[in-house]
Amino acid sequence: MIFYILRRVFWVIPMLLGMTLIVFTLSHIVPGDPVATALGPLATKAAVERLKEAWRLNDPLPIQYLRYVKQMAKGDLGFSVYTRRPVMSDIRKYFMATFELSTVSLLIAMVGGIVLGAISAARKNGILDFMVRPLSLFGMSMPVFWVGLLILLLFYYRLGLIPIGRRIGLFIDPPTRITGMYIVDSLLTGNWTALGSAIHHVIGPALCLALCPLAIIARQTRSNLLEVLDEDYIGTARAKGVSEVIVVLKHALRNALLPIVTITGIQYGYLLGSSVMAEVIFSWPGIGRYALTAIRHLDFQPVLGFSVVMALVYMLVNLIVDVSYVYINPKVRFS
Amino acid sequence: MRSLESERDTLFVWVGEKATHLVYTLRRSPLTILGLAIMVGFISVAVLAPFIAPYDPIAIHPSDRLMPPSKTHFFGTDTAGRDVFSRIVYGSRISLRLGLIVTGLSVAIGSLIGGTAAFLGGRIDDAVMRFTDLCMAFPVFVLAMVITASLGPGLTNVMVAIVAIWWTVYARLVRSKVVEVKEETYVEAARAIGASEVRVFLKHVLLNSYSPVLVEVTLDFGFVVMLGASLGFVGLGAQPPTPEWGAMISSGRSYLKTAWWYPTFPGLAIFLVVLGANLLGDGLRDILETRTR
């Protein structure tokens, strides 16, 4: 098992290299000229050439790529022409907001999806089951940005229940920075006012993002659980007189949840991608909105940094999922 | 020797049986029928757009701006006084075409590359599979966004970007199936009677690897339409005044408070198309799976 984990961890490096190669090549076929954009419309041709030389944009692409990789290894992702700051410090500023948002969404999706799916399967053909099946298909089919607008319309404009545009109340001091995630930091420092405010601010965009994965997890849980409930050992447990609640929770659900673990990684990728749209709608100060602004200004270093970070996080999450799957699945663990 | 006529009759009986089976299964699954109806409905709307839309989707009427839904404007009007209903009707052409072209091209490219890789095996197979691994290491939307941004905003570039990612899905799917099929006896038989490698590959291997692709295509169609609209929403897709659903929602977003109908109805259209594809794909999977069981 150690060998498997090591191999998986090692595999991240060539993947990361391949990935940067793809994105790097892409960002250099961009039609707009970043130097001209940086200097504005009044720049002289000589000035553009001088800056190009200074940024070493006249070197052949492979050399530029090698230089980029070398810098990346040192944690340097280049310089943003638009914000006029190093990309790394921008990303550090915005990334945790996105990470917090997508993690809260994943938690909502998993808890909600598993509970709904489990009840739906345990009471097969009951009222809830009858509603969960079409509702989960609805949830899967709704575009994130549309759900976001509906939430905004109802809970922000009509009912005034949720705030937007900030991660924490205007008059509340953010908790001392430990992880950068406001909820975790306020929990760690015992700052309950900040905690309440942070949760209040994240709930709108998090619900919007969670809907689709919640629907998928609910569906998957339901069908897995129904399959497991057909197994012989469930019959044995029932025959022994074990109560139905314990049969479902202890004997069936634990086994039905194994495949759910594997889809969590994929769902997380979906959440990372969709968070761009949720951030735009709820004005959430995250990395997706940052990348989108950079795209609009033809500022490619941040876009490159954004995709590298997103892919890295996605790969790490999937690594954790795969490794924990090996760990929790007794069939694999003892083989 | 059997006559041609009797062979034709057997064919008719076979087709008849399949059709009866299909109708029978469909009748027992109202949700699949609903999905089919939604898809057929949207395709008809797209084809008949000029006859259905009461107004020009692009012509500007400043005096009619932001009118709420009424008898003259079913879904209200936007900031330029354009009829939202007509724009949605014309928008169906854009979204459905995007879905068709992207899934079509992805299936074609993916099955050719994936199939060839599996058929040839060895280094080529490894290389192709590592490349698909690489594409899957990105969250789909992030990669699509970055590719479209590099190529420059626009509908064609959105399609190119999605195909560039999506063919890998089918490459993997077809590959896994081809690896299975190429060991079958009938493939060996075809070789034994002297069929060329190309013929063996195209006719005997590839054609027999197709059933899982059919279901996947239907389910993916909805997802691709949604992805296209998402790129439109972040401003990378069709540019105004093109009546693209995602772009319409994006421009209607700022008027959410005063003119809720402007971004709401295009979203409803996307939702319905995706729902239709999901219902139909789900139903097809059930039907095809019971048949193989």
Side-chain angles (χ1 to χ4, degrees):
Chain A
M1 202 176 97
I2 296 286
F3 181 69
Y4 168 80
I5 295 173
L6 279 179
R7 207 177 53 190
R8 278 299 315 260
V9 172
F10 181 73
W11 188 229
V12 168
I13 297 166
M15 289 286 271
L16 203 61
L17 283 177
M19 234 168 46
T20 47
L21 186 63
I22 293 180
V23 181
F24 187 84
T25 319
L26 277 173
S27 67
H28 281 78
I29 53 171
V30 58
D33 185 350
V35 177
T37 322
L39 289 175
L42 296 175
T44 59
K45 241 186 169 153
V48 171
E49 271 315 306
R50 255 204 317 277
L51 195 61
K52 258 192 177 163
E53 201 54 51
W55 286 354
R56 299 209 240 164
L57 287 175
N58 291 329
D59 293 351
L61 268 191
I63 304 223
Q64 288 193 41
Y65 173 67
L66 285 181
R67 194 161 56 228
Y68 185 80
V69 171
K70 219 159 111 190
Q71 283 178 345
M72 196 179 70
K74 289 187 218 146
D76 177 6
L77 288 172
F79 190 82
S80 164
V81 179
Y82 174 67
T83 65
R84 309 210 173 260
R85 275 193 303 265
V87 172
M88 198 60 194
S89 73
D90 277 344
I91 284 181
R92 206 173 282 142
K93 185 172 158 202
Y94 296 116
F95 174 73
M96 275 325 213
T98 300
F99 190 64
E100 180 168 41
L101 175 59
S102 48
T103 309
V104 171
S105 311
L106 187 71
L107 285 179
I108 295 177
M110 286 189 73
V111 174
I114 290 172
V115 169
L116 277 183
I119 297 176
S120 172
R123 300 239 183 289
K124 197 185 172 213
N125 294 328
I127 301 173
L128 193 77
D129 186 33
F130 205 69
M131 279 161 57
V132 163
R133 265 181 293 168
L135 278 183
S136 67
L137 264 172
F138 276 33
M140 282 166 64
S141 310
M142 287 194 193
V144 182
F145 46 94
W146 192 55
V147 176
L149 288 180
L150 295 182
I151 291 179
L152 206 61
L153 185 62
L154 186 65
F155 292 104
Y156 178 70
Y157 286 126
R158 294 272 188 271
L159 301 174
L161 285 178
I162 55 161
I164 63 164
R166 303 180 57 80
R167 292 175 64 192
I168 201 160
L170 189 56
F171 302 110
I172 295 169
D173 288 327
T176 329
R177 188 181 169 111
I178 301 169
T179 58
M181 290 194 276
Y182 284 1
I183 293 180
V184 179
D185 287 353
S186 45
L187 269 177
L188 288 176
T189 52
N191 187 344
W192 307 122
T193 346
L195 179 69
S197 182
I199 292 178
H200 189 202
H201 280 74
V202 83
I203 202 77
L207 275 179
C208 153
L209 277 178
L211 186 68
C212 179
L214 191 148
I216 292 175
I217 293 175
R219 248 164 84 97
Q220 190 86 32
T221 308
R222 176 178 178 275
S223 68
N224 290 348
L225 196 56
L226 283 179
E227 212 164 279
V228 172
L229 282 172
D230 253 4
E231 299 277 342
D232 286 344
Y233 62 83
I234 298 296
T236 315
R238 279 189 182 134
K240 282 196 306 190
V242 178
S243 80
E244 191 60 27
V245 177
I246 299 210
V247 166
V248 171
L249 288 185
K250 197 176 161 205
H251 296 255
L253 196 58
R254 276 178 72 170
N255 290 302
L257 285 186
L258 268 179
I260 300 294
V261 174
T262 48
I263 63 166
T264 318
I266 302 166
Q267 294 309 320
Y268 201 80
Y270 166 85
L271 285 173
L272 282 177
S274 319
S275 64
V276 177
M277 286 169 275
E279 283 170 14
V280 170
I281 290 169
F282 292 92
S283 307
W284 185 257
I287 191 179
R289 221 160 57 117
Y290 168 67
L292 215 54
T293 318
I295 289 177
R296 290 214 182 100
H297 292 90
L298 294 176
D299 183 7
F300 262 83
Q301 298 280 347
V303 182
L304 199 52
F306 160 76
S307 36
V308 168
V309 170
M310 285 305 220
L312 186 64
V313 174
Y314 184 44
M315 264 155 56
L316 289 179
V317 167
N318 273 299
L319 181 72
I320 296 170
V321 166
D322 286 358
V323 169
S324 57
Y325 182 75
V326 171
Y327 187 72
I328 41 184
N329 190 350
K331 273 188 207 153
V332 184
R333 201 188 334 153
F334 294 118
S335 68
Chain B
M1 215 178 93
R2 279 198 324 194
S3 72
L4 212 65
E5 254 156 44
S6 79
E7 213 167 273
R8 204 181 57 198
D9 285 347
T10 351
L11 188 73
F12 278 144
V13 171
W14 184 81
V15 170
E17 267 172 11
K18 289 285 168 205
T20 323
H21 176 77
L22 193 70
V23 170
Y24 175 74
T25 353
L26 273 181
R27 264 182 29 207
R28 282 180 39 205
S29 155
L31 284 181
T32 317
I33 296 182
L34 181 65
L36 190 67
I38 293 177
M39 293 314 280
V40 171
F42 267 98
I43 292 171
S44 327
V45 167
V47 172
L48 301 173
F51 302 103
I52 295 174
Y55 299 90
D56 184 319
I58 293 172
I60 290 172
H61 304 283
S63 54
D64 294 342
R65 71 192 298 268
L66 296 181
M67 300 228 290
S70 63
K71 265 185 197 154
T72 42
H73 297 285
F74 304 134
F75 293 168
T77 60
D78 65 8
T79 41
R82 293 170 298 205
D83 182 47
V84 174
F85 177 72
S86 305
R87 284 175 69 74
I88 290 177
V89 167
Y90 273 95
S92 66
R93 291 187 154 187
I94 297 173
S95 289
L96 294 190
R97 197 174 53 204
L98 177 130
L100 275 178
I101 294 179
V102 169
T103 41
L105 278 180
S106 307
V107 168
I109 299 173
S111 42
L112 214 62
I113 296 182
T116 318
F119 192 66
L120 298 176
R123 283 234 181 105
I124 298 174
D125 189 23
D126 276 348
V128 169
M129 282 307 108
R130 288 299 83 76
F131 186 77
T132 58
D133 279 348
L134 210 60
C135 287
M136 286 179 177
F138 284 94
V140 176
F141 185 72
V142 171
L143 191 55
M145 199 170 108
V146 173
I147 299 180
T148 320
S150 319
L151 298 173
L155 206 58
T156 322
N157 289 343
V158 164
M159 293 195 232
V160 172
I162 305 179
V163 172
I165 306 165
W166 219 264
W167 69 268
T168 55
V169 174
Y170 296 103
R172 292 180 83 96
L173 197 67
V174 172
R175 180 192 173 270
S176 64
K177 194 74 191 168
V178 165
V179 167
E180 232 176 272
V181 171
K182 75 171 181 178
E183 304 299 330
E184 298 275 353
T185 331
Y186 58 79
V187 175
E188 214 183 318
R191 271 209 191 98
I193 58 170
S196 74
E197 280 300 290
V198 176
R199 190 185 158 83
V200 169
F201 171 59
L202 289 179
K203 180 145 190 262
H204 299 278
V205 177
L206 210 53
L207 269 184
N208 282 305
S209 310
Y210 253 84
S211 58
V213 175
L214 204 74
V215 175
E216 187 71 31
V217 165
T218 323
L219 288 170
D220 280 357
F221 182 84
F223 195 83
V224 164
V225 167
M226 185 129 82
L227 198 57
S230 307
L231 290 168
F233 175 75
V234 296
L236 291 170
Q239 299 299 306
T242 316
E244 197 270 328
W245 293 340
M248 285 170 74
I249 298 176
S250 173
S251 46
R253 190 165 71 88
S254 346
Y255 301 93
L256 187 63
K257 194 180 171 189
T258 46
W260 59 269
W261 55 88
Y262 184 5
T264 305
F265 287 114
L268 193 65
I270 303 173
F271 165 60
L272 282 177
V273 169
V274 180
L275 183 70
N278 277 338
L279 287 172
L280 189 62
D282 253 23
L284 275 184
R285 179 162 50 198
D286 288 347
I287 292 169
L288 289 175
E289 269 180 12
T290 39
R291 207 172 57 185
T292 48
R293 233 176 244 155

